[in-house]
Amino acid sequence: MSITIALSKGRIFEETVPLLAAAGIEVTEDVDKSRKLIFDTTNPEVRVVLVRASDVPVYVQYGGADLGVSGSDSLIEHGGQGLYQPLDLQIAKCRVSVAVRNGFDYAHAVKQGARLKVATKYTTIAREFFANKGVHVDMIKLYGSMELAPLTGMADAIVDLVSTGNTLRANDLVEVEPIIDISSRLVVNQASLKLKQKPLRHIIDAFAQAVAAKN
Ligand code: PRP
Ligand code: MG
């Protein structure tokens, strides 16, 4: 009974490696040195596929993968349909925040009831946040490098992930309001959980123990 795990490159992959190890699973190749997208592991029944972070919930929802590790940012944007979310893995922690160009008076603009041009890939999170504040926004959907939007005059503000804050600083932007804390979740295909209960339970339990031991 083979198991496919969907991960995304970068911090999520790196911080998932020790959790996989706790379940006796090791990717047998250096993913950073390869252009491959499917990787074998030390468990002949388990393979890892690498997809875009925002596609992890999609692969798991439609059964392209049995389970995956997804940031809660991607999960909110996806909606979580068809996914069982048994564990907060407490990894790849960061936050989604509003940021503006250094010098832009965000508080004043909000107070004045100005219409804000907001560029983001997190349109669901941003829409809900500004709606709750009663701020009218024109949303510009982007797929990356959001930092450029205020710098080019295309937007007043961005809604993006902030981890170290280095990217904002490097681009002369300032974080003006945190929106939500983010961490990665284990997501499981609901049908897989029934059909492949034993091997999936083993992985979920091993992950749970590793998370508990670390936190
Ligand atoms: C993410 C995020 C920020 C940056 C935050 O971008 O969108 O730009 O990391 O991290 P920091 O606070 O530690 O600097 P990423 O590099 O993943 O690329 P993308 O936005 O183009 O997808
Ligand atoms: Mg970015």
Side-chain angles (χ1 to χ4, degrees), residues 121-122 143-147 160-168:
K121 112 173 120 182
Y122 302 105
Y143 293 88
S145 304
M146 266 84 85
E147 293 83 4
D160 194 9
L161 295 178
V162 180
S163 176
T164 60
N166 286 340
T167 309
L168 291 181

Side-chain angles (χ1 to χ4, degrees), residues 123-202:
T123 50
T124 302
I125 293 171
R127 246 182 244 294
E128 200 203 327
F129 174 74
F130 287 111
N132 286 336
K133 278 173 77 78
V135 173
H136 292 286
V137 294
D138 293 318
M139 201 72 72
I140 302 170
K141 168 89 182 181
L142 291 177
Y143 293 88
S145 304
M146 266 84 85
E147 293 83 4
L148 270 174
L151 300 178
T152 55
M154 190 167 80
D156 303 310
I158 60 171
V159 168
D160 194 9
L161 295 178
V162 180
S163 176
T164 60
N166 286 340
T167 309
L168 291 181
R169 272 188 294 278
N171 291 290
D172 203 25
L173 300 173
V174 287
E175 184 179 4
V176 286
E177 226 181 346
I179 298 180
I180 186 172
D181 285 327
I182 299 299
S183 61
S184 292
R185 311 290 154 98
L186 186 62
V187 292
V188 186
N189 176 278
Q190 287 173 350
S192 298
L193 191 59
K194 294 195 186 94
L195 295 167
K196 306 177 182 178
Q197 203 174 50
K198 208 175 161 219
L200 287 180
R201 271 287 153 214
H202 169 73

